[in-house]
Amino acid sequence: MKLSKLSALAVTTALCAPSAFAEEMSNELVLVSWGGAYQASQHKAYVEPYLAQNPGLKVIWDESSAEAVAKIRAMNEAGNVTWDLVDAVAADSMRLCDEGLAEELDHDEVLAAAPDGTSATEDFGDLIVSDCFVPQIVYSTTFGYRTDLIDQPDTVCAIFDTEKYPGKRSLQRRPIDNMEWALYCDGVAKDDIYDVLGTDEGVDRALAKLNTIKDQVVWWSAGAETPQLLADGEVVMGSTFNGRLFSAIAEQNQPIGMLWDMQSFDLDGWVIPAGLPADRKARVLDFLKFATDTQRLADQAAYISYGPARASSAPLVGKHAELGIDMAPHMPTDPANASNVHVYDYEWWADNRDDLDAKFQAWLAK
Amino acid sequence: MTDISQSGPMLAADGTPLKRSLARALRMQKLRALMLIAPLLLFILLTFILPVADMLYRSVDNRIVQDVLPRTIEALEDWDPGSNQLPEEAAFAALAADLKDAANAKTHTKVAKRLNYENPGIASVFRKSGRKVKKWDVENDGPYREKLIELNDGWGDVDLWKTIKTYSGVRTAGYFLNAVDMKLGADGAEVRPENERIYNTLLIRTMRMSLIITFSCILLGYPVAWLLANLPASKANLLLILVLLPFWTSLLVRTSAWKILLQQQGVINDTLVWIGLVDDANRLVLINNELGTIIAMTHILLPFMILPMYSVMQTINPTYMRAAKSMGATDWTAFWRVYFPQSVPGIGAGSILVFILAVGYYITPALVGGTKGTFISNLIAYHISTSGNWGLGAALGAILLAVVLLLYWVYDKIVGIDNVKLG
Amino acid sequence: MSALPPYASTGQRAWYYSFRVICGLIFFFLIAPIVVIIPLSFNAQDFFTFTPEMLRLDPEGFSLKHYRNFFGDDSWQTSMWNSLKIAPMATIVSVTFGTLAAIGLSQPHVPFRRAIMAILISPMIVPLIISAAGMYFFYSRIGLQGTYMGVVLAHAALGIPFVIITVTATLVGFDRSLTRAAANMGADPVTTFFRIQMPLIMPGVISGGLFAFITSFDEVVVVLFVGSAGQRTLPWQMFTGLREQISPTILAVATILVAISIMLLATVEMLRRRSERLRGMSPT
């Protein structure tokens, strides 16, 4: 008797729960990002003002974006999602969306319109590469070099020229970008890169080119490694995200120069894991709307040199918050920096990533 | 004894036969012992053994294909992959139906990912078709053979169908074969192309480097253990602290210390340049390679070698050495023929312990090993947390675990688990 | 080797001293890496090498700024508190279960003793990456992944072999006639346990507990998998720090951890000697 009463109670509460708590927002928010200067810029531009409006909210940062896909997959399989909002690169967001691991969004409904009334979809434009993806920034993977240790290089192919630029280099421990740069420097025309890379011979050719500098390369997996290696003099040039180089150069006054040639453009943005309980989802959507509005995206550019994803934010980009220098010339999208860029092909990589990863790892271990 | 047994059963104080009474006492004792052990045993089984077993099962688990493409697999039952002909229309129709349901449930990319490990390129065929097939009316839109091939010419590739058929089982040996650089073709296991082979190299490297580390530990540990065992107790205890301190110091502290010491601009290179042994332009490369891993891990594991050696050497009676010498043996002969053989059990115990620990190392190789100094554990971590190929990670883990358990068994035979000493 | 006999030949003398030098070098290899980070943690610069000022022992070259950084930084502080919340809890769990089981295992007739022992020791033997991956998937499924409880249970499992080993070691020389004598004099099993057995095995329990504590306090692989941002421990923070930006703050943390290790080591050594004295064994 007692038992049945209890279960009846449980059923009624369960039935009432969604309606009763739908407007209730969780007071904890777990954000996943990349750590370092980038996460700090997000904290200052988005989280601090949001916390000021929402006292009592607890924000927890998790620096696991590099493993976002595998971790969300595991959480989803287990039916226990502990993350609320995940910062992911465009390619990862597409994978997550394809596998049903991320929430599909109606961008116009959940995001704020531009101040002049332009809809969010129009404001972000082509950068909404997937239904699950809310773009934040345009960044690039490019090279930094020690101005005091080597001559100023003017082409990306300097990484393969160990005669003229002796010393170690650091490259990201993945095939993306490295394979393209290798083919480009092996004489493949920019437009043909993916056609060549699509063949077995092309893959071998790219790896053979990388092989010429293999023993001179330190492989990195976290974005802050290259600036650190450069600062310590462990490498003379290395690839990393342009914003990390900016903070090493402008904020820490390291003797490092930027090499923008063949910089590889990419997008980074927010993804909501699928299957959040109603109260947490309500909180996430509230934060998301705030953190991706025109002003907030422009504010972020005051802390790190990444281009805001909204067209309407661009005119608002001003000076660095502490140094007072103009940020525009440090953006990867600045015309002076973007004379020769490499456009990274998401579709192609989505199709070939597993295969090339396996071959690249095999090559690395040899 | 024989006298008593002949004079009839002996009785205990309460009159029951002594044999039965003793047996009951014994049973009670056993039960009490088991009751004391049970909570912990249950705890370990639940928090440790079960999770590990569950993970290892992933290395053969292949339910996803069966779950997502049940109709296709059924339709392919009669198809002979050896004929090199595309399957009949029925298989294409079944696939269209499966794919439509899967695309709606978003599971088609999961099966695509699984099959893509075995035949790169499949994922893209599934993903691209999934979007379109979602909108089809499966009942009436046939025939599907032409329709699917028109949608994506990947469906016209016999190899794709062979892969589906080969991997249609609920369990697969595919991951294990992959873990030894092979794959399951339509005609059985075959070796992978040269540019995809990696795991054998890595497994062999892990073994080789663990052996080198074990030998370095023996080389460095033996003299120290000998010195400790032959010094007066008070001095030995003082020196023992120097061995125990690294043992008690955080692994990360020691690894960071090595990272700082071994860098090209680090303390060791600076010192060598300052002394003049090394030219400033040609600083030694001590980190991000095999050497870095070997140096750091030898240091980290050395206490595990010294302590078992020391405890064995303490039991060696010094009079044997004196006896040998008094009978005319030189110092070396006395040591080599008399002392050394008695210390071998200590070397054995220490070596197995160090090797077991070394084979499974992850943190230190990840931080100081670069690409050449990484172990199989690093690749397991890569597959679990980055590439998402959990089955392969589990298969590699199972192989590593088998190696370790074999050594553990040997250790138990030679030394006995009970004799593990800590400090 | 205790002393060189007066009749030793020149060769023996040469060997005697060169052997001492070799051993000295090995001890140096063992200790130097740990010692060298201590002065470096007081570096006034953000470098990992000795600056000229430091080599001149100029006070300008030294500062406490990395320690200030550690105590002033939110993420370092949170991770330290997380470690201090997780390790003692894990220790309590493993000591409670472990001591009971060790007493059970030391009874004279235990069926399947070898097999049970093998299972209980296994967390120490199975490579950490395998344990971590297994717990990651399994704990995710039962909702323990990313929770405080999950990390505590995982760490307790890892600490148990140490408790088993140290406590059984103290029970090996345990004189059973003592419990029998107590029983004879009318003590019930519980009283016997607390009055007779407990004081004798206490040193083993405490040093096992310290081992379990340090296991949890130093552990990074399992917590990386089983924990989430809310359980970020000190070793985790150090690991990310080492991989991403090696700031000299890590050296300050390392120095603090070395100090803690020295204290724990001293305690264990003291207990070991006490235990040997209590059990009437000669000190080694």
Side-chain angles (χ1 to χ4, degrees), chain A residues 146 149 167-169 218 228-236, chain B residues 262-266 287-288:
Chain A
R146 277 289 287 253
L149 296 178
K168 297 227 165 202
R169 296 98 164 81
V218 176
Q228 182 70 41
L229 290 165
L230 282 167
D232 288 349
E234 290 290 309
V235 299
V236 294
Chain B
L262 296 174
Q263 282 195 27
Q264 281 194 288
Q265 310 296 325
I287 201 168
N288 292 325

Side-chain angles (χ1 to χ4, degrees), chain C residues 2-282:
Chain C
S2 42
L4 206 56
Y7 49 80
S9 67
T10 332
Q12 277 172 324
R13 260 167 218 281
W15 169 241
Y16 176 86
Y17 288 112
S18 47
F19 183 77
R20 299 251 154 160
V21 170
I22 292 171
C23 286
L25 287 174
I26 299 172
F27 279 118
F28 180 75
F29 172 73
L30 272 170
I31 287 299
I34 298 169
V35 174
V36 84
I37 54 176
I38 297 172
L40 279 176
S41 70
F42 295 99
N43 197 337
Q45 302 290 321
D46 283 351
F47 296 132
F48 290 111
T49 47
F50 292 97
T51 56
E53 292 85 19
M54 294 182 84
L55 293 175
R56 280 200 311 270
L57 293 178
D58 186 343
E60 290 283 296
F62 298 87
S63 90
L64 288 173
K65 79 175 208 193
H66 304 309
Y67 289 86
R68 274 197 296 274
N69 208 355
F70 171 66
F71 287 105
D73 182 88
D74 242 11
S75 52
W76 280 109
Q77 287 304 300
T78 323
S79 59
M80 189 178 73
W81 282 114
N82 278 335
S83 278
L84 289 177
K85 272 187 264 175
I86 289 167
M89 209 45 210
T91 309
I92 290 171
V93 175
S94 33
V95 167
T96 319
F97 284 129
T99 308
L100 278 182
I103 292 169
L105 279 169
S106 65
Q107 306 282 321
H109 305 284
V110 184
F112 315 113
R113 187 167 189 281
R114 256 187 129 74
I116 291 174
M117 195 72 179
I119 291 174
L120 298 186
I121 301 287
S122 63
M124 194 170 86
I125 300 298
V126 174
L128 274 177
I129 188 73
I130 297 177
S131 321
M135 289 169 169
Y136 173 54
F137 290 124
F138 193 79
Y139 287 17
S140 292
R141 198 170 311 155
I142 53 177
L144 279 175
Q145 201 274 336
T147 63
Y148 169 73
M149 210 51 214
V151 179
V152 166
L153 291 179
H155 277 179
L158 295 181
I160 274 166
F162 297 99
V163 179
I164 295 277
I165 289 171
T166 49
V167 179
T168 25
T170 44
L171 284 166
V172 164
F174 184 73
D175 189 351
R176 297 220 150 260
S177 54
L178 289 177
T179 48
R180 256 178 252 136
N184 247 350
M185 290 187 251
D188 59 78
V190 178
T191 319
T192 317
F193 175 75
F194 280 106
R195 301 281 298 272
I196 307 292
Q197 249 175 325
M198 207 49 179
L200 281 166
I201 62 169
M202 213 48 203
V205 174
I206 293 178
S207 59
L210 289 175
F211 269 108
F213 180 84
I214 204 88
T215 306
S216 166
F217 199 70
D218 278 353
E219 206 288 322
V220 57
V221 185
V222 167
V223 77
L224 272 174
F225 281 81
V226 175
S228 71
Q231 292 85 43
R232 173 182 296 261
T233 59
L234 208 47
W236 180 346
Q237 181 78 17
M238 286 182 81
F239 182 68
T240 5
L242 274 178
R243 269 211 330 194
E244 300 194 354
Q245 39 222 149
I246 341 180
S247 90
T249 310
I250 287 186
L251 296 183
V253 183
T255 307
I256 294 170
L257 288 181
V258 169
I260 294 176
S261 321
I262 293 176
M263 281 184 317
L264 290 181
L265 169 62
T267 319
V268 171
E269 273 302 289
M270 226 173 58
L271 286 167
R272 195 172 59 92
R273 284 176 201 176
R274 193 183 120 89
S275 152
E276 273 160 6
R277 225 181 27 246
L278 270 179
R279 285 154 53 204
M281 287 182 175
S282 61

Side-chain angles (χ1 to χ4, degrees), chain B residues 406-417:
Chain B
L406 184 74
L407 287 166
Y408 180 40
W409 180 77
V410 173
Y411 186 87
D412 188 27
K413 284 276 157 211
I414 298 178
V415 190
I417 309 162

Side-chain angles (χ1 to χ4, degrees), chain B residues 168-381:
Chain B
S168 57
V170 192
R171 272 182 285 280
T172 177
Y175 293 121
F176 272 100
L177 287 172
N178 195 348
V180 292
D181 290 334
M182 295 173 81
K183 66 175 168 190
L184 200 58
D187 327 305
E190 56 193 72
V191 179
R192 283 192 177 245
E194 211 268 327
N195 64 353
E196 288 173 20
R197 280 181 230 158
I198 167 169
Y199 304 109
N200 280 339
T201 325
L202 230 87
L203 199 65
I204 292 169
R205 179 197 292 164
T206 307
M207 297 291 161
R208 184 172 49 87
M209 288 182 60
S210 302
L211 271 180
I212 295 176
I213 291 160
T214 311
F215 274 112
S216 325
C217 283
I218 297 177
L219 220 60
L220 298 180
Y222 198 89
V224 169
W226 195 88
L227 185 73
L228 288 174
N230 288 284
L231 279 177
S234 56
K235 274 191 196 167
N237 270 331
L238 211 63
L239 283 177
L240 198 59
I241 303 273
L242 297 183
V243 180
L244 289 173
L245 181 61
F247 182 77
W248 275 92
T249 307
S250 161
L251 172 69
L252 275 165
V253 169
R254 286 181 283 166
T255 308
S256 17
W258 280 112
K259 190 154 176 154
I260 290 155
L261 288 172
L262 296 174
Q263 282 195 27
Q264 281 194 288
Q265 310 296 325
V267 175
I268 291 181
N269 265 309
D270 277 357
T271 315
L272 290 176
V273 168
W274 184 63
I275 300 174
L277 273 176
V278 173
D279 181 26
D280 196 14
N282 296 309
R283 286 168 173 254
L284 303 178
V285 184
L286 301 168
I287 201 168
N288 292 325
N289 55 16
E290 290 194 7
L291 188 63
T293 307
I294 291 173
I295 295 177
M297 284 182 61
T298 302
H299 174 252
I300 289 166
L301 295 173
L302 192 49
F304 291 95
M305 181 66 85
I306 295 178
L307 295 174
M309 278 184 174
Y310 171 55
S311 69
V312 168
M313 286 181 187
Q314 271 184 310
T315 64
I316 299 176
N317 195 331
T319 50
Y320 294 147
M321 278 276 270
R322 265 182 248 142
K325 281 191 210 164
S326 74
M327 287 189 268
T330 59
D331 285 349
W332 169 251
T333 322
F335 167 75
W336 184 245
R337 301 283 295 277
V338 177
Y339 192 90
F340 183 76
Q342 294 184 80
S343 66
V344 165
I347 300 179
S351 302
I352 299 174
L353 193 62
V354 168
F355 192 85
I356 286 179
L357 293 171
V359 158
Y361 249 55
Y362 164 65
I363 293 291
T364 310
L367 289 173
V368 300
T371 50
K372 288 277 174 63
T374 45
F375 280 19
I376 199 87
S377 294
N378 300 88
L379 221 61
I380 297 176

